[in-house]
Amino acid sequence: MPECLVFRVPTRHPADVSGLEALIESGAVAAQEIVAVFGKTEGNGCVNDFTRPLAVMALEAALGARLGLPPASVGARVALVMSGGTEGGLSPHLLIVARREGPMAEGRALAVGTAFTDDFLPEEIGRMAQVRATAAAVGRAMAAAGLADAADVHFVQVKCPLLTSARIQEAASRGESVATHDTYASMGLSRGASALGIGLALGEVADAALDDAAIGTRTDLCSGRASASAGIELMRNEVIVLGNAPGWSGPLRIAHRVMRDGIDFSAIQGALADLGLPTGGQLPPEASARVVALLAKAEPTRDGLIRGQRHIMNDDSDINATRHARALVGGVAAAAIGRTDLFVSGGAEHQGPDGGGPVAVIARVGPQEQTRSA
Amino acid sequence: MPECLVFRVPTRHPADVSGLEALIESGAVAAQEIVAVFGKTEGNGCVNDFTRPLAVMALEAALGARLGLPPASVGARVALVMSGGTEGGLSPHLLIVARREGPMAEGRALAVGTAFTDDFLPEEIGRMAQVRATAAAVGRAMAAAGLADAADVHFVQVKCPLLTSARIQEAASRGESVATHDTYASMGLSRGASALGIGLALGEVADAALDDAAIGTRTDLCSGRASASAGIELMRNEVIVLGNAPGWSGPLRIAHRVMRDGIDFSAIQGALADLGLPTGGQLPPEASARVVALLAKAEPTRDGLIRGQRHIMNDDSDINATRHARALVGGVAAAAIGRTDLFVSGGAEHQGPDGGGPVAVIARVGPQEQTRSA
Amino acid sequence: MPECLVFRVPTRHPADVSGLEALIESGAVAAQEIVAVFGKTEGNGCVNDFTRPLAVMALEAALGARLGLPPASVGARVALVMSGGTEGGLSPHLLIVARREGPMAEGRALAVGTAFTDDFLPEEIGRMAQVRATAAAVGRAMAAAGLADAADVHFVQVKCPLLTSARIQEAASRGESVATHDTYASMGLSRGASALGIGLALGEVADAALDDAAIGTRTDLCSGRASASAGIELMRNEVIVLGNAPGWSGPLRIAHRVMRDGIDFSAIQGALADLGLPTGGQLPPEASARVVALLAKAEPTRDGLIRGQRHIMNDDSDINATRHARALVGGVAAAAIGRTDLFVSGGAEHQGPDGGGPVAVIARVGPQEQTRSA
Amino acid sequence: MPECLVFRVPTRHPADVSGLEALIESGAVAAQEIVAVFGKTEGNGCVNDFTRPLAVMALEAALGARLGLPPASVGARVALVMSGGTEGGLSPHLLIVARREGPMAEGRALAVGTAFTDDFLPEEIGRMAQVRATAAAVGRAMAAAGLADAADVHFVQVKCPLLTSARIQEAASRGESVATHDTYASMGLSRGASALGIGLALGEVADAALDDAAIGTRTDLCSGRASASAGIELMRNEVIVLGNAPGWSGPLRIAHRVMRDGIDFSAIQGALADLGLPTGGQLPPEASARVVALLAKAEPTRDGLIRGQRHIMNDDSDINATRHARALVGGVAAAAIGRTDLFVSGGAEHQGPDGGGPVAVIARVGPQEQTRSA
């Protein structure tokens, strides 16, 4: 019976794999068991954030050495999802997701499945080709996780590509036009297309409502469980599905809510309550220690307001709006959890409502909760 | 019997005084009653933040017109404390503090007093001359507020100057050296000297412990009620003391706590509890509406850690550390209050412990609390 | 016979009008003679650059006091064109443009004319309504300058508005859509529409080629004499036409060239040669002192290349592309002139070819050149 | 008889080694011949510029594969000097420096030598320990190049470390204090100590004048041939000496001048003239093609002035001063050379006079110049 394990290790810089290596050396996890690595790196999270490829290069070297693979082959086996931006107080860290044979158990437990699309052409990014390929990959990842019911899926992370000037030129040289010439904007379109693909796979978004023009504009179309990060270091979509599935064992469970805006503290507390954690205020240290990971999306509202009050994210030409949004949601989440190594990712296009986004919590549950169906 | 009134008005840009003017026109407050204006403006909060002088210029023009004074004379009568930086989700706004004759009442109520130092020379900034002049001004402001007991003082806001290249040159031309040649660092030294002056006046810091070398280095010396903002637009210190004093009337009370770090949600909830507000999670809308103002200080820890986890504020050469810190504390405070128009100010040198800072809440209390001594 | 005077005064900060006041007090110019003030201010030159309105507010107060006008009425009489951004080594300064009766002279001399459009609605910005209103205003400004022949016009400066979140919302509340929801992008569309209006007025662009879709996309349509700066502080276009006209006297002449890219040093040297200045290398001090003003436009190329080599302006999410471009052109121009107080303005949409832009030089010519027709 | 070869290859991103690999595959250079790689990468050039370690990691992997060495051993054989920051129009590129046996020739030709110090402890950075170790390494590198006479040395590049929060903590844990707690400031002290070490080795600076307090403050002490770049990716100093030495062959020569300020176009033209290149204006394409590399240092003046006019580099809290300085000098150098792939490096403490810095040009000389002693 499979068990899904999640380890959280701090990093001292984007290329720091010492925590991962110590974890493997301690015997807590074997390199062969690792199916995905989520990383929060300390770049700007925008177009020219090279902390993501740096982290990927370091992880590929470290995992390749232990798997007996050349670095370039690691990505075919392990999904490496780097999310740039640790604004405010967020702390750079890695989440190591592994799958191993565990003891037999009843009920449901945390389950994971991964899948990849093929590489996209620049002109496919932010368009229906990306939506449909993502939806198909989500289906494959769910099958891999034994998640037959979309209702059991609590979080779908996608790492997706972006457009650069060079990629736009390459497409133009073949006579193809791209979805946008603004490289920063391409990140939003890529995330949005990926999220709509997730919503399509999970039945949250109707196929008939979708076309190229809807991507990035129809904010009413969204997934409450999608999380997409765009990065310069890949050209395909990498999909990781997390849920509570029958047939899996172990003490970990996942819960999620949709934050209706960036300061929706109650949504986070709702997810904590689902996992049997106290919600009177900030988690006390012993409860905080049971939280293995918090994953959340952050974005500015389009109308420039949070609960009727103006924010300046969209008008700030010194700091990009997603950087402000990550800092805000990171503060709200740290207020709840009492810790700062939280996976808050920016740009929530079609991921929850405008200005809000999904939040998921993975926690160790007690013996009592383990026997209940989550 | 005096009453201290506090009004919160949003701004659409740094020079927007339409909210202030509407407040006066509505009759809610008379221009003659205004003793201080706190403003959160949307600049970078650092050396070249010209949103602060822009706001001051607009406020001086608006208030001067209504007071029958030339704009340049307004500052002698009204303390204008602009704090730059609305990172994360913080919302630009003004807090209008007024004093008027109110009904007779028993017990204590919110009280305000203001005082100014003389202009400093560049070489005095960040040194003992600034400490001592600030302490004397705090004493004068307390006397003006009828706050005889330092224990009744809950918040002391100081607006203080900074060094620019031109000011450093001017001092050098007279053969004087300044505390630092780094203009950004001068903001911290000026805030630190101001905070130590407040601590000296309130008995939190011993005179014997202080000298030039202690400013900016002896992080064990601090005030739990000091808040200092540095700005390019003035050369003196402007002091506003807030407390609960006998002999004042009205429904407003102030409470404070010291945040031990940037995610100390419990400290904020402690201040809310002192004011009779609920503390189970985020304030519900009706309770949030009773909060007139939250004032907090934010800063990065020097050791680069929050509760043992690394933050990147001090190593980020794209976004200054105080900008990260404001965004973080703004998120934590919004999680508690459910609103984003909060007066979070960056750079808490000698204002609370390293990485933490004072937080004060001003709220309308119910009839029951009004009869109690706060 | 009119004479056009141009004075260059440094500023110590955006609100510094001491240089202007000293100029007036010295008798060099009377407040009544001033028709325009160009200012380079030290903000980011992007959406939230509040150094521009700060400078305008200070200039309106200073000029209003001397003209006996309320500050708000100064703008109806004097065109105030603030351009944000002094990246690289550029030095903040003001160019004071005045018109007075001068001695009789033959030949042509520097001439100036100004005109304003009405305020635009948000939905008109970056569209044909702005193009046509600008073209009409250029015609009025030429008439005011006695510039009957478009070939005698060497530089047309326009200050134009931009969209903010609030303005977009205001239009939406009336059911109107705007040209873009990206506030930074709106600056480019507003500059582009203004430049096409200039090109239309000067006969450089054919009316039949223009429609809303051409604005910001048809880079083949451009004016070689247009310079447009967008700012948050106005809603109309302000037009200043500069040329060499018969019927004007004085020692000043203007020349221009089109820089084909950001490092087109030869174009600057061409303009210097037209004015009889030496072109062997950097101007020696005595020749540099004859240059009263250099005005140039800067922008990144769309294809990410300068003479075949990659630049990173378009992919940099920390520093906006126009900031890089101003720094570059400022360096190239300083290499030619030997001084850094140069009016380099960013964002050259439809102002010269893609990645290039017009450059104009105003210089004092010797007695010999004064008798020649420029 | 050795020959020093220099190849310039563009990069598409910091990890792009395709140009280097193509160069090797073309047979133009063998991996075994490469002694140093200079790289301009597109990060911020400040503390958290991870484009430098990313480039190093990619170069180590590429060169290691071709040298039959593990990546970690490449650095012991090839000096990898990455300099972050391509502000303005600067173009990211690599300079590949190789040494091979060439034909016999008379006179002098470009010569190269390299040497490394041991790793420094954090508390040694920016202090005399770094000065002295650097001076010794320069001596070893000169010997390796056969440069017996310091007058024949035209450029000494050093890559040096910086302090991070973690490194400062590590020193503190051993009871050691560091030269500064400001991580950005540590870059300047490390560069300054390195430059003084070069000056000491070349006889430009007297040993008696040096102590810890002089580093970063005695701007009168400087080397006219030193260039130092600080980076997070190493803890030792790497030294590359370039000069014209007898006993070397080939068509390359190096010349240098000291720019007295950031707009000293004449200094660049002086170096071009030394190499027989035309100096009437910008180099025409055929002359520009003879320039293999331009290496220059850039920094802001401390007094905030360039030739008496204010710059805003030191007061800008959004863009670090060295970023402005690189953009400026890059523009001035591009004006001279007509190309943007120039190695302009920021932070010129003790490298030339305050606000200026050394500039060196490596060019192919014609048959006539080849027979002359350079």
Side-chain angles (χ1 to χ4, degrees):
Chain A
M1 199 170 217
E3 176 179 356
C4 177
L5 303 152
V6 180
F7 302 92
R8 191 180 65 246
V9 296
T11 54
R12 291 173 301 185
H13 55 78
D16 179 23
V17 293
S18 62
L20 168 64
E21 291 180 330
L23 193 73
I24 295 173
E25 274 155 36
S26 75
V29 71
Q32 288 73 13
E33 295 169 345
I34 298 171
V35 297
V37 181
F38 291 61
K40 277 278 13 155
T41 63
E42 60 207 272
N44 63 23
C46 301
V47 176
N48 62 329
D49 182 352
F50 295 104
T51 63
R52 294 176 307 222
L54 176 59
V56 166
M57 194 178 287
L59 287 167
E60 287 180 342
L63 290 172
R66 288 166 190 277
L67 291 169
L69 290 174
S73 301
V74 170
R77 179 187 172 109
V78 182
L80 301 174
V81 179
M82 301 301 114
S83 166
T86 54
E87 296 84 1
L90 290 170
S91 186
H93 67 285
L94 301 175
L95 295 171
I96 318 292
V97 184
R99 175 184 170 144
R100 74 155 60 125
E101 278 309 293
M104 293 298 292
E106 296 199 4
R108 291 166 176 176
L110 181 67
V112 63
T114 62
F116 307 127
T117 69
D118 292 333
D119 276 2
F120 293 110
L121 294 168
E123 60 268 31
E124 293 176 323
I125 293 174
R127 287 179 172 156
M128 284 304 296
Q130 193 180 12
V131 174
R132 298 208 181 283
T134 303
V138 171
R140 293 196 299 277
M142 286 173 63
L147 282 157
D149 185 350
D152 289 336
V153 174
H154 287 268
F155 206 70
V156 182
Q157 177 69 39
V158 167
K159 184 79 205 186
C160 56
L162 55 81
L163 293 172
T164 61
S165 296
R167 291 168 186 175
I168 295 169
Q169 290 300 311
E170 189 277 323
S173 74
R174 290 182 289 100
E176 299 291 339
S177 74
V178 292
T180 177
H181 279 75
D182 179 334
T183 55
Y184 179 71
S186 79
M187 302 180 75
L189 292 175
S190 181
R191 288 188 298 254
S194 300
L196 289 172
I198 296 168
L200 193 58
L202 299 184
E204 299 171 295
V205 174
D207 197 326
L210 293 176
D211 58 21
D212 281 355
I215 301 169
T217 57
R218 285 282 304 274
T219 57
D220 58 309
L221 304 176
C222 68
S223 165
R225 290 165 279 175
S227 170
S229 293
I232 202 169
E233 68 276 16
L234 80 177
M235 280 303 285
R236 65 177 177 179
N237 273 18
E238 306 191 355
V239 175
I240 306 169
V241 169
L242 295 166
N244 295 318
W248 289 69
S249 68
L252 297 184
R253 301 288 182 278
I254 186 170
H256 86 280
R257 282 286 191 288
V258 177
M259 294 176 74
R260 67 184 169 97
D261 58 27
I263 63 172
D264 191 357
F265 185 76
S266 303
I268 301 173
Q269 293 208 306
L272 296 177
D274 287 353
L275 296 163
L277 289 158
T279 58
Q282 190 174 79
L283 289 184
E286 64 281 7
S288 181
R290 285 176 48 202
V291 175
V292 179
L294 177 143
L295 305 107
K297 289 300 302 191
E299 70 171 359
T301 55
R302 298 197 176 201
D303 67 0
L305 301 174
I306 297 175
R307 302 193 189 175
Q309 291 160 342
R310 183 168 73 101
H311 63 74
I312 54 79
M313 304 186 202
N314 296 325
D315 291 342
D316 189 345
S317 302
D318 294 315
I319 301 179
N320 263 300
T322 46
R323 307 199 74 179
H324 283 292
R326 271 191 298 271
L328 171 63
V329 173
V332 173
I337 307 298
R339 253 194 3 239
T340 53
D341 47 355
L342 308 168
F343 193 86
V344 178
S345 161
E349 300 82 358
H350 303 299
Q351 301 153 64
D354 178 50
V359 60
V361 177
I362 300 173
R364 254 182 299 279
V365 294
Q368 201 169 3
E369 285 88 351
Q370 285 191 44
T371 58
R372 290 190 311 173
S373 282
Chain B
M1 199 171 216
E3 176 178 357
C4 176
L5 303 153
V6 180
F7 302 91
R8 191 180 66 245
V9 296
T11 54
R12 291 173 301 186
H13 55 79
D16 179 23
V17 292
S18 62
L20 168 64
E21 292 181 329
L23 192 74
I24 295 173
E25 274 156 36
S26 76
V29 70
Q32 287 73 13
E33 296 168 343
I34 297 172
V35 296
V37 181
F38 290 61
K40 277 278 13 153
T41 63
E42 60 206 271
N44 62 22
C46 301
V47 177
N48 63 329
D49 181 353
F50 295 104
T51 63
R52 295 177 306 224
L54 176 58
V56 166
M57 193 179 287
L59 287 166
E60 286 180 343
L63 289 172
R66 288 168 189 279
L67 292 169
L69 292 174
S73 302
V74 170
R77 178 187 174 109
V78 182
L80 302 174
V81 179
M82 301 300 113
S83 165
T86 55
E87 296 83 0
L90 290 170
S91 186
H93 66 285
L94 300 175
L95 295 172
I96 318 292
V97 184
R99 175 183 172 145
R100 74 155 61 125
E101 279 308 295
M104 293 299 291
E106 297 198 2
R108 289 164 177 178
L110 182 67
V112 62
T114 62
F116 307 126
T117 69
D118 291 333
D119 276 1
F120 293 111
L121 294 168
E123 61 267 32
E124 294 177 323
I125 294 174
R127 288 179 171 155
M128 284 303 295
Q130 193 179 13
V131 173
R132 297 206 182 284
T134 304
V138 171
R140 292 196 300 275
M142 286 173 64
L147 283 157
D149 185 351
D152 289 337
V153 174
H154 287 268
F155 206 71
V156 182
Q157 177 69 40
V158 166
K159 185 79 206 187
C160 55
L162 54 82
L163 293 172
T164 60
S165 296
R167 290 168 185 174
I168 295 169
Q169 290 301 310
E170 189 276 324
S173 74
R174 290 182 287 102
E176 298 291 339
S177 73
V178 293
T180 177
H181 279 74
D182 179 333
T183 56
Y184 179 70
S186 78
M187 301 179 77
L189 291 176
S190 181
R191 287 188 298 254
S194 300
L196 289 171
I198 296 168
L200 193 57
L202 298 184
E204 299 171 294
V205 175
D207 197 326
L210 293 176
D211 57 22
D212 281 354
I215 301 169
T217 56
R218 284 282 304 276
T219 57
D220 57 309
L221 304 176
C222 68
S223 165
R225 290 165 278 176
S227 169
S229 294
I232 201 170
E233 69 275 15
L234 78 178
M235 280 304 285
R236 66 178 177 178
N237 272 19
E238 305 191 354
V239 175
I240 306 170
V241 170
L242 294 167
N244 295 318
W248 289 69
S249 68
L252 297 184
R253 301 288 182 279
I254 186 169
H256 86 281
R257 283 286 190 288
V258 177
M259 294 177 74
R260 66 185 169 97
D261 58 27
I263 63 172
D264 191 357
F265 185 75
S266 303
I268 302 173
Q269 293 208 305
L272 296 178
D274 287 353
L275 297 163
L277 289 158
T279 59
Q282 190 173 78
L283 289 185
E286 64 281 7
S288 181
R290 285 177 47 201
V291 175
V292 178
L294 177 142
L295 305 108
K297 289 299 302 190
E299 71 170 359
T301 56
R302 298 198 176 200
D303 66 2
L305 302 173
I306 298 175
R307 301 192 188 175
Q309 291 159 342
R310 183 169 71 100
H311 64 74
I312 53 80
M313 303 185 203
N314 295 324
D315 291 341
D316 190 344
S317 303
D318 294 315
I319 300 179
N320 263 299
T322 46
R323 306 200 73 179
H324 283 292
R326 270 191 299 269
L328 171 63
V329 173
V332 173
I337 308 297
R339 255 198 356 244
T340 54
D341 46 355
L342 308 168
F343 193 86
V344 178
S345 161
E349 300 81 359
H350 302 299
Q351 301 152 64
D354 179 48
V359 60
V361 178
I362 300 172
R364 253 181 300 280
V365 294
Q368 201 166 5
E369 286 88 352
Q370 285 192 43
T371 57
R372 290 191 312 172
S373 282
Chain C
M1 200 171 216
E3 176 178 356
C4 177
L5 303 153
V6 180
F7 301 92
R8 191 180 67 246
V9 296
T11 54
R12 290 172 301 185
H13 55 78
D16 179 23
V17 293
S18 62
L20 168 64
E21 291 181 329
L23 193 73
I24 295 172
E25 275 155 36
S26 76
V29 71
Q32 286 74 13
E33 295 168 345
I34 297 172
V35 296
V37 180
F38 291 60
K40 277 281 9 158
T41 63
E42 57 206 275
N44 63 22
C46 301
V47 176
N48 63 329
D49 181 352
F50 295 104
T51 62
R52 294 176 304 224
L54 176 58
V56 166
M57 193 178 286
L59 287 167
E60 288 180 342
L63 289 172
R66 287 167 190 277
L67 291 168
L69 291 174
S73 301
V74 169
R77 178 187 175 108
V78 182
L80 302 174
V81 179
M82 300 300 114
S83 165
T86 55
E87 296 84 0
L90 290 170
S91 186
H93 67 285
L94 301 175
L95 295 172
I96 318 292
V97 183
R99 175 183 171 146
R100 75 154 60 126
E101 278 308 295
M104 293 299 291
E106 296 199 3
R108 290 166 175 176
L110 182 67
V112 62
T114 63
F116 308 127
T117 70
D118 292 334
D119 277 1
F120 293 111
L121 294 168
E123 61 268 30
E124 293 176 324
I125 294 173
R127 288 178 172 157
M128 284 302 296
Q130 193 180 14
V131 173
R132 296 204 184 286
T134 304
V138 171
R140 293 195 299 276
M142 286 173 62
L147 283 157
D149 185 351
D152 289 336
V153 173
H154 287 268
F155 206 70
V156 181
Q157 176 68 41
V158 167
K159 185 80 206 186
C160 56
L162 53 82
L163 292 173
T164 61
S165 296
R167 291 169 185 174
I168 295 169
Q169 290 300 311
E170 189 277 324
S173 74
R174 290 182 288 101
E176 298 292 339
S177 73
V178 292
T180 178
H181 279 74
D182 179 332
T183 55
Y184 179 71
S186 79
M187 301 179 76
L189 291 176
S190 180
R191 288 188 298 253
S194 300
L196 289 172
I198 296 168
L200 194 57
L202 298 184
E204 298 170 295
V205 175
D207 197 327
L210 293 175
D211 57 22
D212 281 355
I215 301 169
T217 56
R218 286 283 303 276
T219 56
D220 57 308
L221 303 177
C222 68
S223 165
R225 289 165 279 175
S227 169
S229 294
I232 202 171
E233 68 276 16
L234 79 177
M235 280 303 285
R236 65 177 176 178
N237 273 18
E238 305 190 356
V239 175
I240 306 169
V241 171
L242 294 166
N244 296 317
W248 289 70
S249 68
L252 298 183
R253 300 288 183 278
I254 185 168
H256 86 280
R257 282 286 191 287
V258 177
M259 293 176 75
R260 67 186 169 97
D261 57 28
I263 62 172
D264 191 356
F265 185 76
S266 302
I268 301 173
Q269 294 208 306
L272 296 178
D274 287 352
L275 296 163
L277 290 158
T279 60
Q282 189 172 80
L283 288 185
E286 64 282 5
S288 181
R290 284 177 48 202
V291 174
V292 179
L294 178 143
L295 305 109
K297 290 299 305 190
E299 70 171 0
T301 56
R302 299 199 175 197
D303 66 1
L305 301 173
I306 298 175
R307 300 191 189 176
Q309 292 161 341
R310 183 169 72 101
H311 63 75
I312 54 80
M313 304 186 202
N314 297 323
D315 291 342
D316 189 343
S317 302
D318 294 315
I319 301 179
N320 263 299
T322 46
R323 306 199 75 180
H324 283 292
R326 270 191 299 269
L328 171 62
V329 173
V332 172
I337 308 297
R339 253 196 1 240
T340 54
D341 48 356
L342 308 168
F343 193 85
V344 178
S345 161
E349 300 83 359
H350 303 299
Q351 300 152 67
D354 178 50
V359 59
V361 177
I362 300 172
R364 253 182 300 279
V365 293
Q368 200 168 4
E369 285 87 352
Q370 286 192 42
T371 57
R372 289 192 313 172
S373 282
Chain D
M1 199 171 215
E3 177 178 355
C4 177
L5 303 153
V6 181
F7 302 92
R8 192 180 65 244
V9 296
T11 54
R12 291 173 300 185
H13 54 80
D16 179 24
V17 292
S18 62
L20 169 63
E21 292 180 331
L23 192 73
I24 295 172
E25 274 155 37
S26 76
V29 72
Q32 288 72 14
E33 296 168 343
I34 297 172
V35 296
V37 180
F38 291 61
K40 276 276 21 152
T41 62
E42 59 206 273
N44 63 23
C46 301
V47 177
N48 63 328
D49 182 352
F50 295 103
T51 62
R52 293 177 305 223
L54 177 58
V56 166
M57 193 178 288
L59 287 167
E60 287 180 343
L63 290 172
R66 288 166 189 278
L67 292 169
L69 291 174
S73 302
V74 170
R77 180 188 171 107
V78 182
L80 301 174
V81 180
M82 301 299 114
S83 165
T86 55
E87 296 82 0
L90 290 170
S91 186
H93 67 285
L94 300 175
L95 295 172
I96 319 292
V97 183
R99 175 184 170 144
R100 75 154 61 124
E101 279 308 294
M104 293 298 291
E106 297 199 2
R108 291 165 174 174
L110 182 67
V112 63
T114 63
F116 307 127
T117 69
D118 292 332
D119 276 1
F120 294 110
L121 294 168
E123 61 267 32
E124 293 176 324
I125 294 174
R127 287 176 172 159
M128 283 305 294
Q130 192 179 14
V131 173
R132 296 203 183 285
T134 303
V138 171
R140 293 195 299 276
M142 286 173 63
L147 282 157
D149 184 351
D152 288 336
V153 174
H154 287 268
F155 206 70
V156 182
Q157 177 67 41
V158 167
K159 184 80 206 188
C160 56
L162 54 81
L163 293 172
T164 62
S165 296
R167 291 168 185 175
I168 295 169
Q169 289 301 310
E170 189 276 324
S173 73
R174 292 182 286 101
E176 297 291 340
S177 74
V178 292
T180 178
H181 279 75
D182 179 333
T183 56
Y184 179 71
S186 79
M187 302 179 76
L189 291 175
S190 180
R191 287 187 299 253
S194 301
L196 289 172
I198 296 168
L200 194 57
L202 298 184
E204 299 170 296
V205 174
D207 197 327
L210 292 176
D211 57 22
D212 282 354
I215 301 169
T217 56
R218 286 281 305 276
T219 55
D220 57 309
L221 304 176
C222 68
S223 165
R225 289 165 279 176
S227 169
S229 293
I232 201 169
E233 68 276 15
L234 79 178
M235 280 304 284
R236 66 178 176 176
N237 272 19
E238 305 190 355
V239 175
I240 306 169
V241 170
L242 294 167
N244 295 318
W248 289 70
S249 68
L252 297 184
R253 299 290 181 278
I254 185 168
H256 86 279
R257 282 287 190 287
V258 177
M259 294 176 73
R260 65 185 170 97
D261 57 29
I263 63 173
D264 191 356
F265 185 76
S266 303
I268 302 173
Q269 293 207 306
L272 296 177
D274 286 354
L275 296 162
L277 290 159
T279 59
Q282 189 173 78
L283 288 185
E286 63 282 5
S288 181
R290 285 176 49 201
V291 175
V292 179
L294 178 143
L295 305 107
K297 291 297 305 189
E299 70 171 1
T301 55
R302 299 198 174 200
D303 67 0
L305 301 174
I306 298 175
R307 300 193 189 175
Q309 291 161 341
R310 183 169 72 101
H311 63 74
I312 54 78
M313 305 187 201
N314 296 325
D315 292 341
D316 189 345
S317 302
D318 294 315
I319 301 178
N320 263 298
T322 46
R323 306 199 75 180
H324 283 291
R326 270 190 299 270
L328 171 62
V329 173
V332 173
I337 309 296
R339 256 198 355 244
T340 54
D341 48 356
L342 308 168
F343 193 85
V344 179
S345 161
E349 300 82 359
H350 302 299
Q351 300 152 65
D354 178 49
V359 59
V361 178
I362 299 172
R364 254 181 299 280
V365 294
Q368 201 168 3
E369 286 87 353
Q370 286 191 43
T371 57
R372 291 191 311 172
S373 282

